[in-house]
Each structure stands twice: as C-alpha cells, then as structure tokens.
Amino acid sequence: MDLQKYMQAAIDIAGNHKTPFGAVIVKNGDILIRSANQTKQLNDATAHAEVCALREAGKLLGSARLTGCSLITTCEPCPMCMSAAIWAGIDEVVYGCSIAEISRFMFQIDLNSEQILKASGRNMALRGHFMAEECKTLLTDFS
C-alpha cells in the first residue's frame, strides 16, 4: 500500500474543508471514499470524518462489513470512530496525530485506539504517528 499517497489524500480533503480531520477508505490499493469532518455542516455530533467515510463505504460496497478495507485518517480515531471501524470489520487503521496531540488543541476523550482495540478482542492492524507533522499542521492551522 502507498500509505503516503493515502494519507496525503486525507490531508488534502481535510484542508479543502478547513478542518483538521480527514479520512479515506482504501480497498485493493484504490481510494474508495474521501471524507472530512462534517459535524458543523450537518449539525450532527457523529459526523466525524471516519464515521462519514465508513457510512459512504458501506453504501458504495452494499455492506456494513468493510473487510479488506483500510481506514487512513489524519488524527487518531476517537472512541466512537475507532469502535465504528471495529464494528465495520476494517482490517487496518493508520493515523497521523495521536489523541494526546489532538487534546492540546481541543477536547478529546482520553482513550486511545490501542486501548479500545485491546478491549474489543479484535485483531486489526493499527499504525500511528504516520506523517504526524503534516497532520499536526492541520491542527495548528485550525486552532
């Protein structure tokens, strides 16, 4: 997988929407979905970039199960988003900035993806701090 290409796509969609939160869903090397945080636009507290991407991927693939897909996101998924990725059967999550880094700029629930994944008992690849400096720029620009 070309993680740099996928993370750059997540960074670009976030920047285009003037938010630090962007996500892409990748399957078989192809970007299926690009999504940005839409909580303010939709007046929906659950419209995080990751949840929006999972919803759209489910519609595109005709299934709530997204086995074989990877979620690439500019910031570590919050507990809601990580749980949604687990429920969807995502194979891999790759993120830029950690919950600890995000919390320097805004409120975050202090549960990281590794803790949530461990509690789920699910086997999923998890990689953090990928292109973290580029993703952190989104946070500093937003704040």
Side-chain angles (χ1 to χ4, degrees):
M1 272 204 340
D2 188 352
L3 288 180
Q4 189 166 359
K5 172 183 152 184
Y6 306 138
M7 183 61 82
Q8 190 59 55
I11 291 168
D12 291 345
I13 193 76
N16 290 342
H17 285 83
K18 299 184 183 352
T19 178
F21 306 107
V24 298
I25 302 283
V26 177
K27 185 169 186 170
N28 298 326
D30 295 321
I31 297 175
L32 300 180
I33 301 295
R34 300 166 196 254
S35 186
N37 190 45
Q38 299 177 48
T39 56
K40 291 179 183 169
Q41 296 87 334
L42 299 176
N43 297 314
D44 180 352
T46 69
H48 292 194
E50 299 90 342
V51 168
C52 291
L54 293 167
R55 286 176 184 154
E56 291 303 313
K59 288 177 192 174
L60 179 70
L61 297 174
S63 175
R65 296 292 299 163
L66 302 178
T67 305
C69 293
S70 296
L71 172 63
I72 317 299
T73 182
T74 56
C75 294
E76 183 173 5
C78 72
M80 175 185 68
C81 293
M82 188 62 188
S83 296
I86 291 166
W87 280 104
I90 290 287
D91 289 352
E92 173 184 39
V93 173
V94 178
Y95 65 85
C97 293
S98 69
I99 293 286
E101 292 167 315
I102 303 162
S103 68
R104 293 184 193 132
F105 297 90
M106 63 192 70
F107 170 77
Q108 289 295 300
I109 297 172
D110 192 20
L111 273 174
N112 66 41
S113 295
E114 191 172 307
Q115 293 168 312
I116 296 163
L117 184 57
K118 184 177 179 183
S120 78
R122 181 138 186 295
N123 186 20
M124 172 194 288
L126 182 63
R127 179 175 180 183
H129 308 286
F130 185 77
M131 294 178 64
E133 287 305 312
E134 293 88 333
C135 295
K136 188 175 179 182
T137 299
L138 292 167
L139 285 164
T140 55
D141 290 350
F142 181 75
S143 66

